[in-house]
Amino acid sequence: MPSLEQTCGRGGSGQLSVPRLRRDTPERAGLDPEEIRRLVSEVHDLTSGSRPWAAGAVLVVGRGPYVAVEEAVGWAVRYASYDPETDEGVELPPDSRVAMTADTPFDLASLTKLFTSVAAVQQIERGTLGIDARVGAYLPDFRAAARHGITVRQLLTHTSGLRPELPLYDCADDAERLELLRAEAPVGVPGTHRYSDLNLLLLQHVLERITGRTLDVLIHDGITRPLGMTATHFGPCPGAAATEDQRRPWAKSDRGMLRGVVHDENAWALGGVAGHAGLFSTGHDLAVFCRALLCGGAYGPARVLGPDFVELLLSPPGLGFAVDQPWFMGELAGRGAAGHTGFTGTSLVLDPATDTFLVLLANTVHPRRRTPDSRPRAAAGTRVARAVREL
């Protein structure tokens, strides 16, 4: 595996000097142009036809400091609504649709968890948060978590035993939502993996308690502002790709066609800022995020984590990040690749072994949610893995 010095460079002072991303050819990036051409063609196919995988998508692939492809396909807004009688979207007239562009922001859904995890590891690096400390040490009023000895590491690795979610969207007010979280006890065996949004919601409360700042401020000040990720923020985000005509019974609330407001019902009930969902971002900004992690936490003049703490974040089983998961990474999995998916159709994968990243953002829930299908993500990961050339 290339060293940080080889892939990111060092300045004359010996400090890491990370070149900013720039667009260049696949060949310059050390990627096979034919595999990349096929990948772009396959992503175009995903948005075509009467029942496409997604209404639109943005694809960004890079290696080292080079962005080899940045492609937008399909529609950011294609449908006015969903018709349950025909089980099809009601198409907008062509002149009322909104084309996808490379700068279109997406509702990141669970990719938000990655930013919450980085914010937590920043506090671990500073010594204000213990990775194996009990949540009850920071949140004694969260009675069930304290009683069952849930730890910070368990929240970050989804091994707390907490159930996947709670119906916070059905609560009358914030006080009732908070009381549900405080009283929620594990239903699974602590130490065994059970993916749960509640882990990141509890972690949000821990971070806000120990810092005295809200999660949106922590992520902005500690991650997105220093990295220059100006298009990444919690909603509202009026220009974002549309998501769902959100109505019961297929959804958990009746909100109509959503665009620029968070899709996740619990994040919406919490005001749009939540540890598990709520961020909006673009393909380019996520490429910067990937590049910073591949370069040991630095990008340009900024550093958001030290290399040892990036290694802690990405080492199996991963803190917030999933590691080596073929179901959405394809053949990129197997050498320490890390990433995540989001319910709205978002995903990213970074591969430290080859200094390569893949961002595939799609609005797969437009006009309504369906059974998630990550086969196109896995196929994209396989294309990128096969494109990598020896440097």
Side-chain angles (χ1 to χ4, degrees), residues 12-376:
S13 64
Q15 297 295 314
L16 279 172
S17 176
V18 179
R20 296 181 185 274
L21 287 170
R22 57 188 183 274
R23 185 71 184 269
D24 214 312
T25 63
E27 292 94 334
R28 184 67 183 272
L31 297 171
D32 180 75
E34 182 59 24
E35 289 288 352
I36 295 299
R37 185 196 65 75
R38 290 172 181 165
L39 171 59
V40 171
S41 176
E42 289 163 0
V43 171
H44 273 269
D45 290 343
L46 293 173
T47 66
S48 62
S50 60
R51 292 174 70 92
W53 180 69
V58 171
L59 170 72
V60 187
V61 179
R63 190 178 187 194
Y66 303 110
V67 173
V69 61
E70 188 172 18
E71 186 87 1
V73 299
W75 303 99
V77 184
R78 176 174 174 174
Y79 304 101
S81 62
Y82 166 73
D83 183 353
E85 297 297 322
T86 62
D87 190 29
E88 292 184 347
V90 178
E91 302 250 11
L92 287 164
D95 60 355
S96 297
R97 299 178 193 176
V98 179
M100 193 71 75
T101 72
D103 297 326
T104 298
F106 284 76
D107 179 340
L108 294 187
S110 284
L111 294 194
T112 302
K113 293 180 171 75
L114 304 183
F115 290 82
T116 304
S117 299
V118 170
V121 174
Q122 287 177 328
Q123 296 304 316
I124 293 169
E125 182 177 24
R126 292 166 189 163
T128 56
L129 180 65
I131 189 169
D132 290 310
R134 295 190 174 195
V135 170
Y138 307 107
L139 301 173
D141 49 322
F142 280 63
R143 304 178 301 280
R147 184 170 67 252
H148 289 271
I150 292 174
T151 67
V152 171
R153 187 188 296 272
Q154 288 174 340
L155 297 182
L156 283 163
T157 56
H158 295 282
T159 55
S160 67
L162 292 170
R163 75 180 82 183
E165 67 170 9
L166 284 171
L168 303 178
Y169 46 83
D170 281 338
C171 293
D173 52 34
D174 287 343
E176 185 178 342
R177 282 184 275 272
L178 185 59
E179 182 54 31
L180 270 184
L181 285 172
R182 285 173 170 167
E184 181 66 13
V187 297
V189 178
T192 57
H193 187 269
R194 184 186 182 93
Y195 184 83
S196 172
D197 289 348
L198 303 184
N199 289 317
L200 279 297
L201 282 174
L202 260 64
L203 189 60
Q204 174 186 359
H205 281 278
V206 170
L207 292 173
E208 292 181 344
R209 185 73 59 88
I210 66 176
T211 65
R213 294 186 289 168
T214 56
L215 182 66
D216 55 336
V217 173
L218 287 171
I219 289 175
H220 176 262
D221 290 353
I223 305 172
T224 60
R225 183 172 64 184
L227 295 180
M229 297 172 62
T230 57
T232 305
H233 54 82
F234 287 94
C237 185
T243 54
E244 184 177 35
D245 184 359
Q246 195 171 93
R247 286 183 273 156
R248 300 176 197 263
W250 57 85
K252 302 161 191 170
S253 62
D254 294 290
R255 301 165 61 201
M257 185 61 75
L258 303 178
R259 185 186 185 199
V261 292
V262 64
H263 174 269
D264 182 89
E265 293 93 340
N266 275 342
W268 166 69
L270 292 166
V273 177
H276 70 290
L279 275 176
F280 290 78
S281 188
T282 62
H284 177 78
D285 266 21
L286 291 179
V288 169
F289 182 66
C290 290
R291 175 68 175 155
L293 293 175
L294 287 168
C295 279
Y299 183 77
R303 173 169 295 286
V304 296
L305 276 178
D308 290 346
F309 290 90
V310 173
E311 184 176 355
L312 175 68
L313 187 76
L314 302 182
S315 294
L319 301 181
F321 286 77
V323 178
D324 286 334
Q325 297 296 313
W327 64 272
F328 78 92
M329 298 178 181
E331 292 180 9
L332 279 175
R335 299 169 299 187
H340 214 285
T341 65
F343 187 77
T344 52
T346 58
S347 62
L348 66 81
V349 184
L350 53 97
D351 180 22
T354 60
D355 197 24
T356 305
F357 62 84
L358 162 65
V359 176
L360 179 57
L361 305 178
N363 51 351
T364 58
V365 298
H366 183 54
R368 68 153 284 188
R369 68 187 72 187
R370 307 220 178 244
T371 301
D373 178 8
S374 278
R375 289 175 297 177

